[in-house]
Amino acid sequence: MEIERLGRTCGARITGIDLTDDLDTATIAQIRASWLKHRVLAFADQRMDDDALERLTLAMGGFGEDPFFDPIEGRKNVAAILREADEQSPLFAESWHSDWSFLRKPPSGTCLLAVEIPPIGGDTLFADQAAAFAALPNDRKDYLRSLTAIHSAQRGYAPDGLYGDNDKGRSMAIRPGKDALATQTHPLIRPHPETGEEVIFSSLSYVVGIEGMEEIEALTLLSELLEWQTREEFIYRHQWEPNMLVIWDNSSVLHRATGGYDGHRRELHRTTIAAA
Ligand SMILES: [Fe+2]
């Protein structure tokens, strides 16, 4: 397994491994260690189908819960991130987020398998939130450590949310609902569940407030924080290739989609890895 660093703080390209092989415990441990170190792993030249994607997800920790997507036909745990060539709906997942951070136990990671990759555009951006926290001044770190964030899926998946009842013409099988109104708190600076590293666990997609703080004050703080979290020096811009599988550490990076491929179809298959 060869590892080539890609971004300034996170992201690595992995070659020399076939993920459709029966992976032994030592190899899985090596992948997990690289994953926690580089946060985003891009495995090139993989010929994986949905069976292989499911096997790898199980080996990495089992399936996470996916509350607002319907799976693809015949599968329980594989969803399609899909955009048709002529689709007019707003781009999916264009704002920064950590997947399903509003759950009590958010997934530890997400796997995305390239099925159909447009010749241009469609990069995925990742922002390293351990690096973003580490670079803050000490007094700011102390203040942020004292705060508890309120997470909710409401802005995206409630009936009146971005992907709710008024979202028409979308090819993805999104399943909005009233349960998106639920809230869940997490420390704003959340120790990484496996490494203990301090990570900024916040986005404007899923954080709707801060405990004990007026909403307007909280949103101002969260907006300013997000600008810091997504500074250029923390970002790895991932360019997709056919036959590529990407796994990211959902506890330590934010990610978002980008467009730029109008007129081309794009499809990736996605699983989440359960919390450790
Ligand atoms: Fe996502």
Side-chain angles (χ1 to χ4, degrees):
M1 191 168 125
E2 285 98 54
I3 301 170
E4 177 199 350
R5 286 189 80 131
L6 292 173
R8 265 175 284 187
T9 72
C10 67
R13 180 187 172 91
I14 313 290
T15 49
I17 185 171
D18 181 349
L19 296 174
T20 63
D21 280 348
D22 249 341
L23 303 172
D24 58 25
T25 318
T27 308
I28 289 292
Q30 193 188 1
I31 293 172
R32 280 194 75 93
S34 304
W35 178 52
L36 292 174
K37 178 178 177 192
H38 298 288
R39 312 191 195 286
V40 183
L41 300 184
F43 294 87
D45 304 321
Q46 302 297 320
R47 305 274 163 169
M48 295 174 78
D49 56 13
D50 292 322
D51 287 335
L53 175 62
E54 288 186 344
R55 275 199 308 275
L56 181 73
T57 309
L58 287 168
M60 290 290 288
F63 297 116
E65 182 191 343
D66 283 314
F68 300 109
F69 289 166
D70 280 332
I72 58 172
E73 209 179 322
R75 305 276 163 175
K76 284 201 184 91
N77 296 290
V78 180
I81 305 296
L82 172 64
R83 189 171 179 85
E84 297 293 352
D86 58 355
E87 191 159 334
Q88 299 296 315
S89 58
L91 199 64
F92 177 71
E94 199 177 13
S95 62
W96 291 101
H97 63 284
S98 164
D99 285 333
W100 308 149
S101 73
F102 49 83
L103 295 178
R104 191 175 69 82
K105 284 193 148 196
S108 62
T110 302
C111 306
L112 264 190
L113 175 64
V115 175
E116 190 170 352
I117 295 300
I120 47 161
D123 295 350
T124 304
L125 305 185
F126 296 93
D128 184 333
Q129 297 308 296
F133 183 72
L136 283 167
N138 282 337
D139 57 344
R140 189 68 177 159
K141 285 184 182 168
D142 280 342
Y143 175 62
L144 295 176
R145 281 183 186 115
S146 73
L147 302 177
T148 300
I150 304 165
H151 294 241
S152 169
Q154 64 199 40
R155 291 195 185 117
Y157 299 98
D160 63 351
L162 188 59
Y163 309 119
D165 298 340
N166 294 322
D167 185 42
K168 306 286 186 221
R170 189 173 295 282
S171 52
M172 270 181 66
I174 296 180
R175 178 167 41 80
K178 285 205 175 96
D179 44 352
L181 297 170
T183 60
Q184 172 68 50
T185 59
H186 294 292
L188 186 65
I189 308 305
R190 180 174 177 253
H192 189 288
E194 285 177 75
T195 66
E197 281 175 296
E198 291 184 296
V199 173
I200 308 176
F201 198 60
S202 177
S203 74
L204 289 177
S205 298
Y206 295 140
V207 178
V208 295
I210 293 175
E211 273 194 345
M213 196 181 284
E214 292 290 336
E215 190 181 359
I216 184 76
E217 192 189 341
L219 293 180
T220 304
L221 185 152
L222 293 167
S223 305
E224 286 172 8
L225 185 60
L226 189 67
E227 274 186 41
W228 175 267
Q229 291 170 271
T230 56
R231 283 167 68 118
E232 194 58 35
E233 61 257 44
F234 307 132
I235 289 180
Y236 160 54
R237 182 177 197 105
H238 179 71
Q239 292 178 305
W240 286 90
E241 298 168 16
N243 301 317
M244 182 169 259
L245 176 93
V246 170
I247 308 179
W248 68 84
D249 176 2
N250 195 49
S251 302
S252 69
V253 297
L254 293 181
H255 62 281
R256 76 173 187 90
T258 68
Y261 56 94
D262 282 357
H264 300 281
R265 189 176 187 276
R266 183 176 185 269
E267 181 173 0
L268 302 102
H269 283 187
R270 172 192 189 273
T271 57
T272 54
I273 304 168

